[in-house]
Amino acid sequence: MADLFYPLKPGHIGADVCRLQRFLLAQGFAIPGGTDGNLGPATSAAIAAFQREHGLPESGAFGQDDARRAVGLGYENTCFQGASHAAYPPAPKHLKRPDHQASDAMFGTFEFRLAKSDTARYQLEIEEDWLADNICQTSIPQLIGMVDRQFAKPRGRKDGKITCHRLAAPRLQALFAAWETAGLMDRVIYFTGCFNARLKRRETELVRSNLSNHSWGGAFDINSQENWIGQAPAAMGQRGCLFELVHIANEEGFFWGGHFDRVDGMHFEIAEL
């Protein structure tokens, strides 16, 4: 069965773009910015040059026909096999979404207040002693070189370190290792953050039940633009689809935001340690 490649278009940012850039550079096409993971004008021009050389329509985007031609030249990137309409992952029977009480029980309680510098009125300040005792940096080998979209600028390449709760660290390491073992790490096209002291989106009342689980450092987001909160997550065959990762995440004790009442397909959070 033929591999199905989704198109890579101008404006796309991620590890899949890095893989395309490495291929184009190896084929001798110049990209002044190198493998920055950003499909900007330089990469689009290199794609057009590749298309021109191989008699393909020049578009500046890298589509299925381009990928099929490139595979014979050693191109490897995220692709899917079989139908593009695979079923939505079922909700786990053995896990439930952790509320603030469950997160307190797993990770400990802390005092918080609205951040003085925050004009959006959802970022929080957490007591320093709790932060010092519980929040740490941990290495995730599978994220080394991963594009980081936690902040709009810069879109740097991750060194493999993320900020999380110390008790969450081994669970996060185990999850990414399990995804790698299953051959699915290419489904993660960029990382969007873990620890982030804030209220849930749309919430403004400063009460504990409105805390995002990011505030405990036990939740993380990936492929956010393709799986934005309140929107249908990317389906099988589409860029950013995470469906194949969900069952493994459940087995590792993580609950997927695609099973929230208000869907949040970018989001995974620890439901049990």
Side-chain angles (χ1 to χ4, degrees), residues 47-70:
I47 292 171
F50 171 85
Q51 293 166 331
R52 186 165 54 251
E53 182 171 299
H54 291 277
L56 296 162
E58 293 182 38
S59 65
F62 203 77
Q64 177 76 358
D65 290 341
D66 306 311
R68 285 175 176 167
R69 180 65 59 86

Side-chain angles (χ1 to χ4, degrees), residues 89-225:
K93 297 180 179 180
H94 67 290
L95 288 178
K96 65 178 182 179
R97 180 184 181 181
D99 58 16
H100 67 284
Q101 294 171 323
S103 293
D104 276 343
M106 286 189 290
F107 301 120
T109 61
F110 50 79
E111 298 297 323
F112 61 94
R113 64 186 180 188
L114 195 66
K116 295 178 181 178
S117 60
D118 181 43
T119 57
R121 299 191 64 78
Y122 64 86
Q123 292 294 149
L124 304 174
E125 292 177 355
I126 290 177
E127 61 176 290
E128 292 185 5
D129 287 347
W130 187 88
L131 292 176
D133 290 342
N134 294 287
I135 300 301
C136 67
Q137 278 205 326
T138 192
S139 294
I140 308 291
Q142 295 78 16
L143 291 180
I144 294 174
M146 180 64 64
V147 174
D148 187 351
R149 292 198 71 172
Q150 185 168 5
F151 306 102
K153 292 183 179 180
R155 293 186 174 102
R157 305 287 297 283
K158 288 200 71 65
D159 59 4
K161 294 181 180 179
I162 66 172
T163 303
C164 64
H165 194 285
R166 59 182 175 80
L167 298 179
R171 304 305 315 137
L172 290 161
Q173 291 169 334
L175 174 60
F176 280 91
W179 282 345
E180 181 180 43
T181 298
L184 295 172
M185 266 305 297
D186 66 348
R187 272 49 176 167
V188 181
I189 54 178
Y190 53 85
F191 187 79
T192 325
C194 184
F195 171 69
N196 184 5
R198 64 172 175 82
L199 298 176
K200 297 174 184 175
R201 298 184 189 277
R202 290 187 174 180
E203 301 295 349
T204 57
E205 188 178 0
L206 201 62
V207 295
R208 201 163 196 84
S209 59
N210 284 343
L211 291 180
S212 164
N213 273 338
H214 287 286
S215 300
W216 284 269
F220 68 94
D221 296 332
I222 50 178
N223 300 7
S224 56
Q225 297 300 309

